[in-house]
Amino acid sequence: MFEPRYNYAELRRRRFRPIPVRMLVPNVITLLAICAGLTAIRLSTEGRMELAVAAIVFAAVLDGIDGRVARMIKGQSKFGAELDSLADFVNFGVAPGLMLYFWQLHELHNGGWIAAMIFAISGGLRLARFNASMDDPNKPPFASNYFTGVPAPAGAVTALLPIYLAYLGVFTPPALLTALYTLLIAFLMVSRLPVYSGKSIRMRVPPELVLPVFVSVIFFIALLIGYPWHVLSAGTLLYLLSLPLGWKSYRDHKLAYEAAQAPAAGNVPAAAVPPLTPQAIERPPDERPERLH
């Protein structure tokens, strides 16, 4: 008998089959976000911190829309998910840490570099935990509306608050205070703090609210362009103040879920529990002699 011979041309065609354009669009957006993060690092080394902050904010906006675009056009892929995680580590872990170091933390020498490294590593650990727990079957239904720890994009934008305040002219914190604040945000990223994600918000807009939504978005963008430091400072402070509210909301949902599960666990039919009989009760062996002489 002859052994079957593989058609290598056919195998090559299967391996390099055409990829739909809808699968490429989300990855292109993610690559643009990586370019923005790397550009932020370069701008921070050149001392152009205003443009570096703008690049990080632009990367955060792209990170917020690439996943939604992928779901809208059904362009999700495992490759895109891995690329998005790597992009988040670069844009929201490495880039903000280096920006803070080049801006002020270098005054602390090794101490400032350690704070920047801890922030970057915390971003990587937070992303790894997110990927590992994404398909957890034991997660309660309400938990999908909450992040575990501050998400990486929010952590990056929040960690740059000392830069916002300095350029706003309100307060320029000392390098030690900036390092402590950077470590605090790093701790919030790797903590188990429940943070509201907003995934349960409906993405459909009623027809009568389409024009007001357009006007609101344009007004916010105009404010961000005209008064960037005011908007970023106020948004960061409001976000930090909202963290306890997210924790309280998660706790209330957890208590309600446990209360709903308790009656279900208690309604076990009596027939399912076998009756205890003297033979069924195991007794420890008696090592005493049967009769003392």
Side-chain angles (χ1 to χ4, degrees), residues 135-191:
D135 300 326
D136 185 7
N138 300 322
K139 183 184 298 185
F142 66 89
S144 60
N145 295 326
Y146 298 87
F147 292 120
T148 302
V150 174
V157 177
T158 304
L160 300 178
L161 177 62
I163 299 179
Y164 310 154
L165 296 178
Y167 279 94
L168 189 59
V170 176
F171 171 64
T172 302
L176 181 59
L177 184 59
T178 301
L180 294 177
Y181 177 77
T182 303
L183 295 176
L184 173 63
I185 301 301
F187 171 75
L188 292 177
M189 292 172 65
V190 299
S191 67

Side-chain angles (χ1 to χ4, degrees), residues 3 7 35-36 69 80 92 139 144 163 175 195 214-215 217 231 289:
E3 296 182 358
N7 190 342
C35 294
V69 169
F92 311 124
K139 183 184 298 185
S144 60
I163 299 179
V195 179
F214 282 156
V215 174
V217 171
V231 174

Side-chain angles (χ1 to χ4, degrees), residues 194-239:
V195 179
Y196 186 68
S197 65
K199 294 181 179 180
S200 60
I201 299 177
R202 295 181 59 185
M203 299 303 297
R204 295 181 179 273
V205 180
E208 62 274 10
L209 295 180
V210 172
L211 292 181
V213 168
F214 282 156
V215 174
S216 301
V217 171
I218 294 174
F219 179 71
F220 176 77
I221 294 176
L223 280 179
L224 185 60
I225 295 175
Y227 304 94
W229 309 120
H230 297 78
V231 174
L232 291 174
S233 300
T236 299
L237 293 176
L238 291 176
Y239 182 80

